[in-house]
Amino acid sequence: MTNSEQERWSRVKGRLRSTVGEDVYTSWFARMDLEAVQDESVHLSVPTRFLKSWIQAHYAERVLSCWQAEMPEVHRIDLSVRTAMRCATPAKEAPVAVEARRAERGDAKPADTRAPVMTPVAASHDALGGSPLDPRLTFASFVVGRANTLAHAAARQVADGRRGDPVMFNPLYIHAGVGLGKTHLLQAVTWAGNAGGERKVLYLTAEKFMYGFVAALKSQTALAFKEALRGIDVLVIDDLQFLQGKSTQAEFCHTLNALIDAGRQVVIAADRPPSDLESLDDRVRSRLAGGLVVEMATLGEDLRLGILKSRVAAARAHHASFDVPEPVLDYLARSITHNGRDLEGAINRLLAHSKLNNQPVTLDMAEREVRDLVRPQEPKRIKIEDIQRVVARQYNVSRSDLLSSRRTANVVRPRQVAMYLAKTLTLRSLPEIGRRFGGRDHTPVRHAVRKIEALVGKDTTLNDEVEALKRQLQD
């Protein structure tokens, strides 16, 4: 960059600061750099995609007018996201869709008022700084069954909404175990919502949200990050259980509140219900639970068979001769019960074996190829709320008694038994269990566990009661 270009850029920044004010300039333009001036175009760069998207949408005309005050021949601003090594090539970036009206030529050609070039859904989503989208994960490829009917209907309702429509449930919170279709539904919402072109739908994993917030803090563009998120019509957050860090959780809480209060839609997925997200603040869990909470259940055999047929059809689109006989499909649907990813993995193995060895798919081959995917049935996941409910019913006390500070004998023993079962039947830590029992710390929980452990070894009646409670909870 020449000295004259640098001086001109300094004057443009001065004009911009005077136009938008010091606060706005510091928030949005302090990290903008001049890369090059070429012909009628100026190439600028910013450190994040969020910043690029926001400037394009709200300040592109002002930036252009400030440049034209210095260089009337400038008619276009190209804005790119620079890399850490400054290796981005501005000429390869898509230009900002802002063109100045050209002065009429001597040949009386009309002014150039070209409209912005429409970008594909994936490119538009990527420009907003979203997490990568898988083109296979759409509503068309989602197999609906009893385990996911409500979740699918709610997701479809969100995807079909239009800007300005009243929001029926906010947030929509979907939870399920691994491989049961949460991410598929969330990405389907994103694809369908953005395809309409009317609303901005942004899909972010919790990890990407954390990374974006930390990066914005480091680059001093935190305000830009916040404003860009709050300008989204539908915010989709996946794997919320991985959200860590007090400052990041606080920012998520503020963003969640701002979007919901503004009537924007929020869709969230996690591997457990809001009440079990122990690492999140009580206010966040309460806000999440205030929307529609939907659980996607384990896949039934009919649904597993439907998924297998869908995957075979998708594979046949690229390998026309690939065929899986009905008995093999029935065997896979009966035997592979863990999750949908194992089902897809089984079809991929059969396809690879059939094509590489030039052999038809048989039942013997299927049994051999997928034997490691046939897993023993997982034990039922027991919740602390279930333990409290069953124990309260067994001992004829209320759940609120178990959570209270009452020290009467008819409450203390059931409370100790419930704490003992929570420790032995769940993976929750002592502090987590204490918090779920009326906000206690870990000390009374440890005492209760040791007390019941000692008693069941010598009190036959209590041992029988505890074993009966375990059977009720595990059945």
Side-chain angles (χ1 to χ4, degrees):
M1 188 188 308
T2 65
N3 289 337
S4 62
E5 288 176 343
Q6 188 62 54
E7 291 171 1
R8 190 177 289 121
W9 174 226
S10 296
R11 291 195 295 271
V12 169
K13 288 192 291 186
R15 290 178 183 275
L16 195 55
R17 181 182 276 107
S18 300
T19 301
V20 301
E22 186 64 35
D23 290 343
V24 172
Y25 179 87
T26 302
S27 298
W28 300 102
F29 303 105
R31 303 287 290 175
M32 179 185 285
D33 289 346
L34 174 65
E35 299 292 340
V37 179
Q38 297 176 350
D39 301 326
E40 298 177 345
S41 300
V42 172
H43 300 280
L44 304 171
S45 69
V46 288
T48 68
R49 286 175 177 166
F50 282 115
L51 201 53
K52 172 186 172 183
S53 175
W54 194 259
I55 292 174
Q56 285 178 345
H58 297 86
Y59 294 105
E61 292 284 359
R62 295 192 188 186
V63 175
L64 179 61
S65 63
C66 288
W67 267 102
Q68 288 180 325
E70 290 291 330
M71 296 178 64
E73 65 271 23
V74 170
H75 294 285
R76 192 175 69 189
I77 301 295
D78 289 338
L79 189 60
S80 65
V81 180
R82 58 179 176 267
T83 65
M85 300 301 293
R86 309 286 284 186
C87 61
T89 307
K92 293 182 180 180
E93 294 285 335
V96 180
V98 175
E99 296 281 350
R101 287 186 172 273
R102 299 180 184 276
E104 291 191 0
R105 312 284 188 188
D107 56 1
K109 285 184 180 180
D112 184 358
T113 56
R114 288 174 292 176
V117 178
M118 293 299 291
T119 57
V121 170
S124 300
H125 180 266
D126 188 60
L128 292 172
S131 296
L133 294 174
D134 187 333
R136 299 172 301 170
L137 303 184
T138 64
F139 283 116
S141 62
F142 188 85
V143 182
V144 183
R146 183 163 43 176
N148 57 32
T149 301
L150 179 57
H152 173 267
R156 187 83 249 188
Q157 175 77 28
V158 169
D160 292 342
R162 301 172 64 85
R163 181 176 290 173
D165 287 353
V167 179
M168 289 185 61
F169 30 75
N170 210 8
L172 169 60
Y173 186 100
I174 299 172
H175 67 96
V178 174
L180 298 183
K182 304 185 302 296
T183 295
H184 193 147
L185 265 188
L186 264 61
Q187 292 209 14
V189 168
T190 308
W191 282 114
N194 278 327
E198 187 182 60
R199 297 187 302 171
K200 294 180 183 176
V201 185
L202 181 66
Y203 170 81
L204 287 174
T205 61
E207 181 183 23
K208 186 65 179 288
F209 180 90
M210 290 188 293
Y211 171 80
F213 182 60
V214 172
L217 289 175
K218 288 181 178 179
S219 62
Q220 299 178 7
T221 57
L223 180 59
F225 177 85
K226 297 175 185 180
E227 292 298 327
L229 276 184
R230 295 172 193 182
I232 298 299
D233 295 301
V234 183
L235 178 62
V236 182
I237 301 287
D238 202 358
D239 288 328
L240 186 65
Q241 70 273 9
F242 295 131
L243 191 67
Q244 300 294 329
K246 288 186 177 180
S247 60
T248 308
Q249 290 183 12
E251 180 52 39
F252 172 76
C253 183
H254 295 323
T255 300
L256 181 68
N257 288 333
L259 288 171
I260 292 176
D261 292 343
R264 310 291 177 87
Q265 179 72 60
V266 179
V267 183
I268 293 168
D271 66 353
R272 65 201 74 162
S275 59
D276 286 356
L277 292 173
E278 304 289 353
S279 63
L280 289 185
D281 183 88
D282 287 341
R283 291 171 300 174
V284 180
R285 289 202 304 274
S286 176
R287 195 80 199 239
L288 295 176
L292 175 62
V293 178
V294 181
E295 180 177 12
M296 296 174 69
T298 54
L299 307 175
E301 187 173 329
D302 289 345
L303 183 53
R304 295 198 296 270
L305 183 60
I307 291 172
L308 288 166
K309 289 180 177 179
S310 171
R311 299 302 177 261
V312 170
R316 194 177 288 133
H318 301 282
H319 306 277
S321 61
F322 179 59
D323 182 59
V324 182
E326 284 290 334
V328 175
L329 291 174
D330 290 339
Y331 164 74
L332 296 177
R334 274 195 323 272
S335 305
I336 302 177
T337 59
H338 194 61
N339 60 53
R341 290 175 188 161
D342 285 353
L343 296 172
E344 185 168 7
I347 296 301
N348 289 337
R349 291 186 191 189
L350 298 184
L351 174 62
H353 192 281
S354 175
K355 289 301 175 185
L356 296 177
N357 296 324
N358 196 26
Q359 294 178 353
V361 175
T362 65
L363 185 57
D364 287 342
M365 184 251 275
E367 290 176 343
R368 185 174 62 252
E369 291 300 314
V370 305
R371 59 183 179 273
D372 62 307
L373 296 178
V374 180
R375 308 179 187 181
Q377 189 70 30
E378 278 194 343
K380 177 183 176 183
R381 192 176 77 179
I382 299 171
K383 303 175 183 177
I384 291 179
E385 290 85 354
D386 297 333
I387 294 173
Q388 292 168 343
R389 186 183 66 254
V390 170
V391 170
R393 185 172 63 235
Q394 172 71 24
Y395 289 98
N396 197 27
V397 296
S398 67
R399 183 170 174 265
S400 60
D401 286 335
L402 299 180
L403 306 186
S404 72
S405 58
R406 291 179 58 193
R407 300 290 301 165
T408 55
N410 70 316
V411 173
V412 170
R413 179 56 54 83
R415 183 187 297 134
Q416 291 175 335
V417 169
M419 289 179 174
Y420 168 78
L421 291 173
K423 180 57 182 172
T424 55
L425 298 181
T426 77
L427 299 176
R428 303 303 179 200
S429 66
L430 294 179
E432 289 172 343
I433 294 171
R435 195 178 63 77
R436 301 289 285 280
F437 277 83
R440 292 172 166 84
D441 64 22
H442 66 282
T443 305
V445 181
R446 183 188 294 117
H447 172 74
V449 171
R450 290 176 177 173
K451 180 79 171 177
I452 300 302
E453 282 178 345
L455 287 175
V456 294
K458 53 188 178 182
D459 186 334
T460 305
T461 302
L462 179 62
N463 182 68
D464 291 345
E465 289 176 357
V466 169
E467 290 303 315
L469 288 167
K470 286 182 179 179
R471 287 194 296 273
Q472 286 185 56
L473 290 162
Q474 292 170 337
D475 288 344

